[in-house]
Amino acid sequence: MRREDRAEGSASLGDRLLALFGEVGTRARKRRPGVWRGLIGGLDDGGILNLSLVALLSAVCGTTVLLLLNAEAREVEYHGYSDLIAFGFLALLVIYRWSQNYLIREATQAIELALHERRLSTTRNVLRLSLEDVQALGLRSVIDGIGAHYGTLSQTLVPIVAGVEGVVLLVFMFGYLVILSPMAAALTTIVVAVTVMGFLASRSRLDEDLSLAVRSEEAFRDLAEGLVRGKKELRLNPDKRSAFQNDMIERSEELAMCRSNAAAHFASMLATGNSASYLMAGAVVFVLPLITGVEQTDISRIVVAVIFLLGPISSVVQTFQQVTTARFALAEIGAFQDRVEALADRHDSDRSNGRVPAFQELRLESLSYSHAGENGFSIRDIDLQLQKGEILFVTGGNGSGKTTLLRIITGLYPRHEGAMRLNGERLAHYPPQSYRNLFASVFSDFHVFQHPYGLDDAGLERLEQWLVEFDIRHKLGDDLGFIDANALSTGQKKRVGLALALAEQRQILVLDEWAADQDPATRRRFYHEILPRLKAEGLTILAVTHDDSYFDCCDRRLHMAEGRITEDGEAWRQ
Ligand SMILES: Nc1ncnc2c1ncn2[C@@H]1O[C@H](COP(=O)(O)OP(=O)(O)OP(=O)(O)O)[C@@H](O)[C@H]1O
C-alpha cells in the first residue's frame, strides 16, 4: 500500500473515531457520518473492525489473567502449584500488554492524522481569505483555531483511548463476575449505575466551568501579550505599571477561580468514582453474605474479581474528564472551521493564481469603501488613474484614508461602490489573484518572514543585489534562506522589506511611508536615485509620503482629506 493511501486510510479512520466523541462543526456534520454511521462505515473499511478485534483480544486476555489467578489459587489450595497455569498467565499478560499498546498507538495515530488534515484544510482556507476577513477573525481566534485547541485535544487522546479499552475490559470482567455470582454482579451494577448517573448529571456544569476557564485564559493571554509588547511604556511609567499589574492580578484571580472550579468538579467526580469502586468491594464483603448463603472461598474469589474491576473503572472515570475537555476543544475547532469555510467560499471562483496581465493602466471610478463598525471611516467618490511607468505620490494628514486607498487599489480590500478597470476591463468586486500579482508592497505594518518565501535562486540573487544596494546585506547571515528581522532596527527592517519587494519583480511597487524611518542621506538617495532608476526600468510606483521636501520627485500627486481626494489636491509635475 502506498504511503499516501495508508495516510488517507488512517485519516478517514481517525475521522470516524473523532465522530464517536463529537461532531466537528455544522458544515462538517453535513458531510461526515454520525456516530452509528461512522461506526458502520469504519467496519466497512476495516479500520474500526481491526481496532475492535484488538480491543476484544485485550479484554479477553485481561479477563483470562484474572480467571487464571483465581484458578491457580484454587489449585494451590486443593492440588498444589500448577506450572501450566503460571505459564498461561505470563503468556496472556504479554499479549495483553501488546494489544493494549497496539490499540492506543494505532487509534491515536489515526486521530492525529485526521486532525492534521483538518488543520491543513483550515489553514488553506485562512490563506484564501481576504485581508478584511482575517482582520475580522482576529489574531487570537486564528492562533487558537489552528493551534491551541488542537494541542488541548491531542493531550486527551491517550487517556480517552485507554478509557474506551477499559470499558471493553470492564464488560468482560463483569461477565466473569456474573458467572461467579449473579447477586454480586447485581450489587455492582447498582453502584456503577448510580455513579454514572451522577457523572452525567454534573457534565453540563463541567462544560460551563470549562468554557469559562477557556474565555478567562484568552483574556489573560491578551494581557500577557501586552506585558511583552508594552514593556517600554510599563518600564518608564510606575503608575501605568501598577495599574496594569492590578489588572493582571484581577484576571489571574479570575482564571484561578475558573480553573479551580473545574478542577473541583473533576476532583469530586474522581473521588466519587474511587469511593464507588471501594463501595463495590464493600458491598460484596458486607452485604452479599447477608442476602445469599455464599461460601468464604467464593467471597475471596469474588472480591479478587471486583478488585480487578477497579483499574478499568478508574480509567473510565478519568475518561469522563478527558472526553469533556476533548468535546469542548472539538466544538471550538468546528466553529472556527465553519466560520473560515463560509468566508472562504466567497473566493471559490478565483482560479487565476499564476497569470499576470501586462499592466498599462488602472482606473478607479466613483469608488467608495467603509470600514466596519457603527461610525466606520469611509473613503468616497475616488476617481483616479495610474499609468504604466509613472510615479504617483499620495499625500494627506493622519487618518485621511491613504493606507485604506492603497489596500483597495492592491485588491486587499474589496470596493463597496464604484468601479475599477484594469487596461479598460472592469474588475470583479474581489479582484482576482492575477490582478494582485501586479503588486509588490511595503506597507507600514509589513512583515518580514523568517524565510524569503516565493523567491527562486534568481530571486535570491536579486535580493542579494538590492540588500547590497541598500547597505544592509552585512546585517544578515551568509545564508539568505533565513532572515532574523528581530535583530534589525526599524529603518533597517524597512530596507530589507523593500529589497524583498523589489526581488519579486512585480510591475507596480506600492510603498506606505517607506522613507519615514530612513536617515536623511538614504532618504535623499531613495527619492533622487532609486525611484528614478526603478521608473527607468519600467516600474510603476504608487507611494504614500509625508516628505514635503521631495513632493517634486513624482509625476503626479494626489492629496487626501477625510477620505476624499481634494479638488486642489491633484498636482501635476511641471
Ligand atoms: N481595519 C480597520 N477597521 C476600522 N477602521 C479602520 C481600519 N483601518 C483603518 N481604519 C480607520 O480608517 C481611517 C483611515 O485610516 P488609514 O490608515 O487609511 O489612514 P492614513 O491616511 O493612512 O493615516 P496615517 O497617515 O496615520 O497612516 C482611520 O480613521 C482609521 O481609524
Side-chain angles (χ1 to χ4, degrees):
M1 198 191 275
R2 285 184 314 138
R3 195 160 163 250
E4 304 88 77
D5 292 342
R6 226 178 21 243
E8 205 173 287
S10 294
S12 75
L13 168 63
D15 268 331
R16 292 203 164 93
L17 291 173
L18 277 176
L20 296 179
F21 57 96
E23 297 284 3
V24 184
T26 51
R27 284 169 161 248
R29 193 156 39 232
K30 279 182 208 147
R31 282 197 317 267
R32 294 195 180 91
V35 172
W36 294 112
R37 285 181 53 206
L39 255 179
I40 292 162
L43 290 174
D44 282 348
D45 70 19
I48 287 188
L49 180 63
N50 191 17
L51 291 183
S52 307
L53 288 178
V54 178
L56 280 180
L57 176 68
S58 162
V60 169
C61 290
T63 313
T64 316
V65 160
L66 161 65
L67 212 129
L68 292 184
L69 264 183
N70 272 339
E72 184 73 326
R74 186 179 270 256
E75 279 297 302
V76 168
E77 198 175 333
Y78 295 110
H79 307 109
Y81 186 84
S82 160
D83 289 343
L84 191 64
I85 295 182
F87 176 75
F89 175 84
L90 276 178
L92 284 172
L93 207 60
V94 170
I95 301 175
Y96 175 67
R97 190 217 164 263
W98 171 84
S99 52
Q100 211 179 21
N101 187 31
Y102 175 89
L103 184 72
I104 293 175
R105 196 187 59 224
E106 292 296 310
T108 50
Q109 267 180 11
I111 295 175
E112 283 294 356
L113 256 171
L115 289 177
H116 157 73
E117 299 263 315
R118 207 155 286 185
R119 186 168 43 218
L120 209 66
S121 132
T122 310
T123 306
R124 278 197 200 108
N125 280 333
V126 173
L127 283 170
R128 281 166 59 206
L129 295 185
S130 69
L131 174 67
E132 215 184 20
D133 291 337
V134 174
Q135 283 174 342
L137 284 173
L139 179 68
R140 175 74 53 229
S141 103
V142 174
I143 288 176
D144 287 349
I146 57 177
H149 294 313
Y150 283 88
T152 309
L153 189 56
S154 289
Q155 282 172 11
T156 66
L157 294 184
V158 171
I160 287 179
V161 178
V164 171
E165 198 253 343
V167 171
V168 183
L169 186 58
L170 213 54
V171 170
F172 273 73
M173 288 195 169
F174 189 74
Y176 175 57
L177 190 62
V178 171
I179 296 168
L180 274 182
S181 162
M183 190 50 81
L187 280 176
T188 309
T189 309
I190 293 170
V191 177
V192 170
V194 171
T195 314
V196 168
M197 270 155 50
F199 281 174
L200 292 179
S202 60
R203 217 173 76 181
S204 67
R205 282 283 308 279
L206 198 59
D207 276 349
E208 235 171 73
D209 284 345
L210 271 179
S211 166
L212 281 175
V214 167
R215 302 284 161 256
S216 164
E217 205 166 298
E218 280 169 3
F220 190 77
R221 275 211 303 264
D222 284 341
L223 277 181
E225 197 177 314
L227 182 66
V228 178
R229 291 191 193 278
K231 181 70 190 155
K232 299 175 289 302
E233 292 79 358
L234 295 173
R235 189 82 183 138
L236 291 175
N237 184 332
D239 293 340
K240 192 176 277 187
R241 195 162 62 234
S242 113
F244 179 80
Q245 183 174 312
N246 288 341
D247 204 11
M248 275 206 105
I249 291 170
E250 222 170 272
R251 291 283 175 184
S252 178
E253 278 170 1
E254 202 177 286
L255 178 57
M257 187 75 77
C258 289
R259 281 205 184 133
S260 64
N261 281 346
H265 256 102
F266 284 139
S268 131
M269 284 169 81
L270 205 64
T272 310
N274 287 339
S275 305
S277 307
Y278 291 126
L279 196 62
M280 274 164 29
V284 170
V285 175
F286 300 115
V287 183
L288 200 60
L290 300 181
I291 49 179
T292 58
V294 66
E295 282 187 22
Q296 187 53 43
T297 49
D298 286 338
I299 289 273
S300 306
R301 279 189 295 141
I302 295 168
V303 168
V304 170
V306 169
I307 286 173
F308 258 70
L309 284 177
L310 302 189
I313 285 182
S314 151
S315 99
V316 172
V317 166
Q318 284 175 33
T319 303
F320 268 93
Q321 167 192 349
Q322 302 295 343
V323 166
T324 309
T325 308
R327 285 176 68 89
F328 185 81
L330 264 180
E332 294 286 313
I333 287 172
F336 182 73
Q337 202 178 346
D338 283 352
R339 234 177 123 195
V340 170
E341 260 182 57
L343 291 169
D345 281 353
R346 297 192 305 195
H347 307 276
D348 233 8
S349 54
D350 186 2
R351 300 271 181 272
S352 61
N353 259 5
R355 279 183 285 127
V356 191
F359 175 65
Q360 290 303 327
E361 181 203 58
L362 176 69
R363 269 176 190 274
L364 272 58
E365 297 166 358
S366 309
L367 186 135
S368 299
Y369 175 87
S370 297
H371 280 296
E374 220 171 275
N375 295 313
F377 174 88
S378 299
I379 64 170
R380 11 185 114 259
D381 307 325
I382 303 288
D383 289 290
L384 75 80
Q385 311 174 29
L386 182 65
Q387 303 287 344
K388 177 180 162 63
E390 76 174 331
I391 299 178
L392 177 64
F393 281 179
V394 181
T395 59
N398 290 138
S400 57
K402 303 179 296 296
T403 302
T404 305
L405 177 63
L406 290 196
R407 289 186 174 171
I408 297 168
I409 290 178
T410 46
L412 293 173
Y413 287 162
R415 64 183 182 276
H416 290 162
E417 279 169 37
M420 280 168 74
R421 292 182 197 281
L422 174 69
N423 303 337
E425 273 186 43
R426 192 184 166 98
L427 287 164
H429 185 63
Y430 284 98
Q433 181 60 56
S434 58
Y435 170 76
R436 298 198 296 276
N437 284 342
L438 288 171
F439 301 93
S441 69
V442 186
F443 279 97
S444 40
D445 57 353
F446 74 107
H447 179 72
V448 176
F449 289 93
Q450 279 190 344
H451 308 288
Y453 296 117
L455 291 182
D456 56 12
D457 287 346
L460 285 175
E461 252 175 59
R462 289 193 296 274
L463 174 64
E464 173 102 35
Q465 283 161 12
W466 281 114
L467 289 170
V468 171
E469 178 81 40
F470 296 142
D471 194 22
I472 194 69
R473 178 63 186 93
H474 62 286
K475 293 297 293 182
L476 303 178
D478 288 344
D479 178 12
L480 282 180
F482 178 81
I483 298 173
D484 180 11
N486 291 325
L488 301 173
S489 72
T490 311
Q492 289 173 331
K493 214 183 290 181
K494 276 199 162 177
R495 290 185 199 188
V496 173
L498 182 53
L500 281 161
L502 289 169
E504 288 180 20
Q505 279 196 312
R506 300 294 179 94
Q507 298 176 61
I508 305 174
L509 177 66
V510 172
L511 301 174
D512 196 351
E513 298 178 40
W514 183 85
D517 303 293
Q518 302 303 319
D519 54 59
T522 309
R523 201 178 295 193
R524 198 174 320 111
R525 233 186 107 226
F526 170 72
Y527 284 109
H528 285 164
E529 288 176 31
I530 309 279
L531 288 188
R533 195 172 121 194
L534 294 174
K535 177 182 161 74
E537 286 173 10
L539 230 75
T540 306
I541 293 156
L542 178 60
V544 165
T545 176
H546 291 298
D547 290 326
D548 50 4
S549 46
Y550 294 102
F551 279 177
D552 63 341
C553 295
C554 63
D555 296 314
R556 209 149 45 93
R557 178 167 69 89
L558 295 177
H559 188 78
M560 291 194 72
E562 294 173 14
R564 291 166 194 260
I565 294 175
T566 54
E567 279 196 7
D568 58 345
E570 191 158 328
W572 290 83
R573 191 178 165 196
Q574 299 305 308

PDB file of all heavy atoms in Angstrom, residues 59-70:
ATOM      1  N   ALA A  59      -9.262  -7.397  26.024  1.00  0.00           N
ATOM      2  CA  ALA A  59     -10.201  -7.640  27.125  1.00  0.00           C
ATOM      3  C   ALA A  59     -10.241  -9.125  27.498  1.00  0.00           C
ATOM      4  O   ALA A  59     -10.266  -9.478  28.692  1.00  0.00           O
ATOM      5  CB  ALA A  59     -11.589  -7.152  26.724  1.00  0.00           C
ATOM      6  N   VAL A  60     -10.224  -9.978  26.459  1.00  0.00           N
ATOM      7  CA  VAL A  60     -10.259 -11.427  26.735  1.00  0.00           C
ATOM      8  C   VAL A  60      -9.018 -11.819  27.534  1.00  0.00           C
ATOM      9  O   VAL A  60      -9.088 -12.537  28.542  1.00  0.00           O
ATOM     10  CB  VAL A  60     -10.334 -12.227  25.409  1.00  0.00           C
ATOM     11  CG1 VAL A  60     -10.088 -13.705  25.664  1.00  0.00           C
ATOM     12  CG2 VAL A  60     -11.699 -12.031  24.767  1.00  0.00           C
ATOM     13  N   CYS A  61      -7.845 -11.302  27.111  1.00  0.00           N
ATOM     14  CA  CYS A  61      -6.603 -11.638  27.810  1.00  0.00           C
ATOM     15  C   CYS A  61      -6.638 -11.125  29.247  1.00  0.00           C
ATOM     16  O   CYS A  61      -6.278 -11.842  30.193  1.00  0.00           O
ATOM     17  CB  CYS A  61      -5.393 -11.030  27.098  1.00  0.00           C
ATOM     18  SG  CYS A  61      -5.072 -11.819  25.546  1.00  0.00           S
ATOM     19  N   GLY A  62      -7.092  -9.843  29.414  1.00  0.00           N
ATOM     20  CA  GLY A  62      -7.161  -9.256  30.755  1.00  0.00           C
ATOM     21  C   GLY A  62      -8.055 -10.072  31.662  1.00  0.00           C
ATOM     22  O   GLY A  62      -7.714 -10.342  32.834  1.00  0.00           O
ATOM     23  N   THR A  63      -9.210 -10.494  31.124  1.00  0.00           N
ATOM     24  CA  THR A  63     -10.154 -11.253  31.950  1.00  0.00           C
ATOM     25  C   THR A  63      -9.604 -12.652  32.250  1.00  0.00           C
ATOM     26  O   THR A  63      -9.735 -13.164  33.368  1.00  0.00           O
ATOM     27  CB  THR A  63     -11.516 -11.381  31.231  1.00  0.00           C
ATOM     28  OG1 THR A  63     -11.874 -10.100  30.733  1.00  0.00           O
ATOM     29  CG2 THR A  63     -12.604 -11.870  32.156  1.00  0.00           C
ATOM     30  N   THR A  64      -8.969 -13.256  31.235  1.00  0.00           N
ATOM     31  CA  THR A  64      -8.449 -14.611  31.451  1.00  0.00           C
ATOM     32  C   THR A  64      -7.312 -14.591  32.482  1.00  0.00           C
ATOM     33  O   THR A  64      -7.141 -15.540  33.256  1.00  0.00           O
ATOM     34  CB  THR A  64      -7.973 -15.224  30.116  1.00  0.00           C
ATOM     35  OG1 THR A  64      -8.944 -14.943  29.125  1.00  0.00           O
ATOM     36  CG2 THR A  64      -7.801 -16.722  30.227  1.00  0.00           C
ATOM     37  N   VAL A  65      -6.538 -13.496  32.486  1.00  0.00           N
ATOM     38  CA  VAL A  65      -5.491 -13.353  33.508  1.00  0.00           C
ATOM     39  C   VAL A  65      -6.119 -13.457  34.904  1.00  0.00           C
ATOM     40  O   VAL A  65      -5.645 -14.182  35.789  1.00  0.00           O
ATOM     41  CB  VAL A  65      -4.760 -11.999  33.330  1.00  0.00           C
ATOM     42  CG1 VAL A  65      -4.038 -11.597  34.599  1.00  0.00           C
ATOM     43  CG2 VAL A  65      -3.773 -12.091  32.184  1.00  0.00           C
ATOM     44  N   LEU A  66      -7.252 -12.766  35.074  1.00  0.00           N
ATOM     45  CA  LEU A  66      -7.966 -12.807  36.361  1.00  0.00           C
ATOM     46  C   LEU A  66      -8.472 -14.223  36.657  1.00  0.00           C
ATOM     47  O   LEU A  66      -8.341 -14.743  37.783  1.00  0.00           O
ATOM     48  CB  LEU A  66      -9.128 -11.804  36.287  1.00  0.00           C
ATOM     49  CG  LEU A  66     -10.254 -11.955  37.290  1.00  0.00           C
ATOM     50  CD1 LEU A  66      -9.746 -11.692  38.707  1.00  0.00           C
ATOM     51  CD2 LEU A  66     -11.384 -10.977  36.987  1.00  0.00           C
ATOM     52  N   LEU A  67      -9.009 -14.832  35.600  1.00  0.00           N
ATOM     53  CA  LEU A  67      -9.546 -16.192  35.737  1.00  0.00           C
ATOM     54  C   LEU A  67      -8.441 -17.163  36.177  1.00  0.00           C
ATOM     55  O   LEU A  67      -8.623 -17.989  37.079  1.00  0.00           O
ATOM     56  CB  LEU A  67     -10.068 -16.600  34.366  1.00  0.00           C
ATOM     57  CG  LEU A  67     -11.245 -17.525  34.307  1.00  0.00           C
ATOM     58  CD1 LEU A  67     -12.284 -16.901  33.381  1.00  0.00           C
ATOM     59  CD2 LEU A  67     -10.814 -18.867  33.764  1.00  0.00           C
ATOM     60  N   LEU A  68      -7.258 -17.003  35.541  1.00  0.00           N
ATOM     61  CA  LEU A  68      -6.141 -17.890  35.859  1.00  0.00           C
ATOM     62  C   LEU A  68      -5.631 -17.656  37.280  1.00  0.00           C
ATOM     63  O   LEU A  68      -5.218 -18.586  37.970  1.00  0.00           O
ATOM     64  CB  LEU A  68      -4.995 -17.693  34.851  1.00  0.00           C
ATOM     65  CG  LEU A  68      -5.291 -18.163  33.425  1.00  0.00           C
ATOM     66  CD1 LEU A  68      -4.068 -18.005  32.539  1.00  0.00           C
ATOM     67  CD2 LEU A  68      -5.736 -19.624  33.414  1.00  0.00           C
ATOM     68  N   LEU A  69      -5.676 -16.391  37.713  1.00  0.00           N
ATOM     69  CA  LEU A  69      -5.256 -16.096  39.100  1.00  0.00           C
ATOM     70  C   LEU A  69      -6.119 -16.877  40.088  1.00  0.00           C
ATOM     71  O   LEU A  69      -5.624 -17.538  41.001  1.00  0.00           O
ATOM     72  CB  LEU A  69      -5.435 -14.603  39.377  1.00  0.00           C
ATOM     73  CG  LEU A  69      -4.234 -13.699  39.211  1.00  0.00           C
ATOM     74  CD1 LEU A  69      -4.610 -12.284  39.615  1.00  0.00           C
ATOM     75  CD2 LEU A  69      -3.066 -14.184  40.076  1.00  0.00           C
ATOM     76  N   ASN A  70      -7.445 -16.781  39.865  1.00  0.00           N
ATOM     77  CA  ASN A  70      -8.368 -17.493  40.760  1.00  0.00           C
ATOM     78  C   ASN A  70      -8.180 -19.007  40.645  1.00  0.00           C
ATOM     79  O   ASN A  70      -8.237 -19.732  41.642  1.00  0.00           O
ATOM     80  CB  ASN A  70      -9.811 -17.121  40.425  1.00  0.00           C
ATOM     81  CG  ASN A  70     -10.243 -15.877  41.206  1.00  0.00           C
ATOM     82  OD1 ASN A  70      -9.632 -15.559  42.236  1.00  0.00           O
ATOM     83  ND2 ASN A  70     -11.263 -15.187  40.733  1.00  0.00           N
TER      84      ASN A  70
END
